[in-house]
Amino acid sequence: MLDSWPRLQASDFPALTRGSLTTLQLNLGYLCNIRCVHCHVDAGPHRTELMDRAAMELALQVAERRRVTTLDLTGGSPEMHPEFRWLVATARGRGLHVTDRCNPTILEEPGYEWVAPFLAAERVEVVASLPCHSAENVDEQRGEGVFAASIRALQRLNGLGYGRPDSGLVLNLVYNPNGAFLPPAQAVLEADYKRLLADRFGIAFDRLFTLANMPIKRFGSWLLSKGAFDAYMATLRAAHRPENTAGVMCRTLASVDHQGYVYDCDFNQMLRLPQGGGTAPRHLRELLDASLDGTPIAVAGHCYGCTAGQGSSCGGALDP
Ligand code: SF4
Ligand code: SF4
């Protein structure tokens, strides 16, 4: 894989500092049942890295100590972690809101029939990736048959009440572009998705989050291999909106890797950029005694991916 980091490191992206921490995003590991072209964590069925129980327990302690309100679970496919159910049930029992960043095809895998009813029973917010409403585009980006499996999984979630008015079970979808271009306007695309998915498949959902592809890891390598890296960076930089820097997710979220190390966001985790831009990695246990609030954020060229156009965060556009 080609490494885009040397092209991102020296950057004029403006300095940022943290606000109040509200969300701990735990990367439970890189194990995933599929392998997508754009995946910025390079996840797949071949990956074996998984967070251990001690790191999960520490994360729950930190959440309590720092008055975090949301545990945001990601991967890989977080549901493939053998301790997923324990973690979710414990977090919910302690009053935390839990979000599952779910690749919906996992609901269709043999042995994972428990996932959908479990998520509904624990009232977990589901953020499901569906990068297009067209089968052709999704299968090109994520693999053969992924679209059909995703549709069946979303129908199953709807059957449990997800995405239905007044159920309180939130189902959000995630779109990311199938190439080196910025996402279209989130509100317009959300209306298209709602109409097309309802008409064709009877699917309902709450919100669509549009995310820009980050020029790092697998997508960064793809850009470099196509000679498209500089043009994509120029697109991001030309679309930079300074007002988006106020809402980028690193202001209120900390990302934790499967070994318990802390980063300013998931992207920085993949780049191994220590929290705060220091040289030494910071571990979750430090957060038992020290707040992150007001500390510097490690920024570099890839940050333009969060501020370009309508902006991009784990909750979708910043200015939808
Ligand atoms: S489903 Fe998500 S974690 Fe898995 S390979 Fe695709 S983008 Fe990566
Ligand atoms: S990539 Fe985005 S979320 Fe991460 S540090 Fe840069 S601006 Fe913040």
Side-chain angles (χ1 to χ4, degrees):
M1 191 158 75
L2 301 171
D3 184 7
S4 59
W5 175 241
R7 310 277 286 273
L8 297 166
Q9 191 169 11
S11 166
D12 58 356
F13 192 85
L16 300 178
T17 41
R18 294 185 149 271
S20 295
L21 183 68
T22 63
T23 303
L24 268 189
Q25 187 175 68
L26 303 187
N27 190 313
L28 301 189
Y30 307 141
L31 178 63
C32 189
N33 62 320
I34 57 177
R35 194 166 186 273
C36 304
V37 175
H38 67 277
C39 182
H40 70 271
V41 302
D42 198 23
H46 60 294
R47 301 298 296 264
T48 54
E49 303 90 334
L50 290 174
M51 181 176 278
D52 64 20
R53 177 81 165 250
M56 290 177 172
E57 283 171 351
L58 184 56
L60 291 169
Q61 278 177 38
V62 167
E64 194 171 357
R65 186 77 60 93
R66 296 284 142 227
R67 305 214 166 128
V68 160
T69 54
T70 297
L71 205 62
D72 185 338
L73 304 179
T74 185
S77 277
E79 311 82 3
M80 293 179 82
H81 194 295
E83 303 275 19
F84 177 79
R85 278 178 275 193
W86 172 83
L87 176 61
V88 171
T90 308
R92 293 292 293 136
R94 294 185 192 180
L96 286 164
H97 177 75
V98 176
T99 300
D100 179 31
R101 296 193 176 265
C102 171
N103 134 42
T105 67
I106 193 65
L107 274 59
E108 290 287 301
E109 290 284 342
Y112 290 91
E113 297 81 3
W114 55 268
V115 172
F118 172 77
L119 295 174
E122 293 290 351
R123 307 196 73 72
V124 171
E125 177 180 337
V126 174
V127 180
S129 44
L130 189 70
C132 192
H133 47 65
S134 124
E136 196 184 357
N137 285 349
V138 173
D139 286 0
E140 183 186 327
Q141 190 180 107
R142 319 203 84 163
E144 191 68 29
V146 165
F147 184 76
S150 302
I151 293 298
R152 288 193 299 274
L154 296 177
Q155 288 168 332
R156 187 180 298 192
L157 288 168
N158 276 170
L160 291 164
Y162 270 102
R164 301 291 184 195
D166 306 325
S167 71
L169 293 172
V170 176
L171 172 61
N172 295 320
L173 301 186
V174 174
Y175 161 92
N176 60 283
N178 192 18
F181 50 91
L182 286 173
Q186 182 168 282
V188 175
L189 194 64
E190 179 179 289
D192 281 353
Y193 260 64
K194 286 203 163 165
R195 182 172 42 80
L196 291 165
L197 290 179
D199 289 353
R200 290 182 193 162
F201 308 109
I203 289 173
F205 65 95
D206 291 284
R207 303 268 323 278
L208 178 74
F209 298 157
T210 58
L211 307 188
N213 287 323
M214 278 288 171
I216 63 172
K217 292 289 166 181
R218 204 177 287 165
F219 186 68
S221 175
W222 179 84
L223 288 169
L224 288 168
S225 70
K226 300 282 175 205
F229 184 85
D230 289 339
Y232 187 61
M233 284 308 298
T235 300
L236 296 181
R237 291 172 59 96
H240 172 69
R241 284 200 209 148
E243 62 271 29
N244 285 337
T245 57
V248 285
M249 60 186 170
C250 49
R251 299 273 195 191
T252 55
L253 169 152
S255 164
V256 182
D257 74 10
H258 69 280
Q259 294 178 302
Y261 289 100
V262 181
Y263 304 84
D264 286 307
C265 70
D266 199 25
F267 308 120
N268 286 7
Q269 180 186 144
M270 294 311 125
L271 292 166
R272 299 270 162 245
L273 280 184
Q275 191 281 321
T279 48
R282 295 192 73 178
H283 197 268
L284 256 179
R285 70 180 76 88
E286 294 178 46
L287 271 55
L288 288 172
D289 299 317
S291 166
L292 291 181
D293 298 0
T295 59
I297 294 168
V299 295
H302 62 296
C303 296
Y304 284 107
C306 291
T307 58
Q310 54 184 348
S312 181
S313 75
C314 52
L318 301 172
D319 178 23

